[in-house]
Amino acid sequence: MNTRVSATDRVAIFAVVSRLLQYPDELLLENLGLFEKAADTLPRGAREPIRTLVVHLAETPLLDLQASYVATFDLKRRNCLYLTYRQTGDTRQRGMALWRFQELYRQRGYSMTQGELPDFLPALLELVVEAAPADRGPYDILLEHQPEIAVLRRSLADDRSPYVDALDALLFVLPKPDAAVLEAARKLAEDGPPEEQVGIAPFMASESTRTGA
């Protein structure tokens, strides 16, 4: 992990980035002041991009934010926020990859309900935040998908999307990519996801919620 960042700051960055990467709604806009205040305490590498994105969100009408979010993440496969998609596409291999994520939540007392898939990046960041300090499982699986995160960041930059700032803050807190991560990111960007189409309905899920909540 990035030793330049304290454990407290790391958790704060994951929490803020998780919320900023979710579909914008009125609650998000109401909490922008809190996110900006949280950013004030963070290292510059995370503070500045978070501030920049918060300003953009604050200055843009909600309907425009929602339309932009859909156009950015839902209508462009290369900007997909689902971490297993670039590696497996909608193939049989993805079903197994999603099962692994689903088990990650289940083993920590979370149940997955109908909605989002369990490899949704903001949901995984939430799980990292909620995990006990000694529980590295969620963080380790996040690191495994660092190439996918790097490719997503590059794609958002190419689109001049304001959401690139959220990825910059996230990548700041992750370890500096080594040669293997850079090569994996290059290959993912060049090859794109496989295109075999199969059903993955059994793995449909939503952002994690506490069992019985």
Side-chain angles (χ1 to χ4, degrees):
M1 66 182 58
N2 189 337
T3 57
R4 298 171 297 172
V5 183
S6 70
T8 300
D9 287 344
R10 187 177 302 113
V11 168
I13 293 167
F14 287 147
V16 172
V17 170
S18 171
R19 187 61 185 95
L20 293 178
L21 283 177
Q22 295 180 48
Y23 184 74
D25 54 20
E26 292 183 356
L27 182 60
L28 171 68
L29 298 187
E30 292 173 4
N31 287 328
L32 289 179
L34 296 177
F35 299 146
E36 187 173 21
K37 184 176 181 180
D40 288 342
T41 68
L42 299 175
R44 182 176 181 180
R47 180 177 66 246
E48 295 305 319
I50 289 174
R51 278 179 172 174
T52 300
L53 181 53
V54 165
V55 168
H56 166 76
L57 295 172
E59 294 180 346
T60 306
L62 179 58
L63 290 179
D64 291 343
L65 290 175
Q66 292 173 336
S68 175
Y69 185 94
V70 170
T72 299
F73 295 114
D74 296 344
L75 301 182
K76 293 183 179 179
R77 293 193 304 168
R78 60 191 176 88
N79 292 340
C80 185
L81 286 170
Y82 299 96
L83 292 174
T84 67
Y85 180 75
R86 289 184 184 276
Q87 189 72 252
T88 64
D90 288 329
T91 67
R92 292 172 179 84
Q93 287 76 20
R94 191 176 184 205
M96 289 304 300
L98 290 173
W99 176 85
R100 185 177 174 219
F101 272 84
Q102 201 162 5
E103 283 296 288
L104 192 75
Y105 291 97
R106 185 190 65 79
Q107 292 169 3
R108 288 157 181 82
Y110 290 81
S111 61
M112 309 305 296
T113 55
Q114 189 173 10
E116 296 290 358
L117 293 169
D119 60 340
F120 187 52
L121 175 57
L124 179 59
L125 292 174
E126 287 184 5
L127 190 62
V128 174
V129 170
E130 293 294 329
D135 180 9
R136 285 187 54 94
Y139 182 73
D140 285 344
I141 202 169
L142 178 68
L143 290 187
E144 287 181 28
H145 291 277
Q146 194 170 356
E148 288 86 346
I149 295 170
V151 174
L152 173 60
R153 190 269 170 204
R154 186 184 311 167
S155 181
L156 293 173
D158 289 343
D159 287 349
R160 299 180 182 273
S161 168
Y163 285 101
V164 72
D165 289 309
L167 272 294
D168 283 341
L170 175 57
L171 288 170
F172 172 77
V173 79
L174 297 181
K176 183 178 180 180
D178 58 19
V181 170
L182 294 174
E183 175 59 20
R186 182 197 65 77
K187 192 172 187 303
L188 285 172
E190 289 184 356
D191 295 347
E195 295 184 355
E196 175 192 9
Q197 300 295 316
V198 299
I200 57 173
F203 299 94
M204 290 299 291
S206 70
E207 295 174 43
S208 57
T209 55
R210 282 290 182 188
T211 303

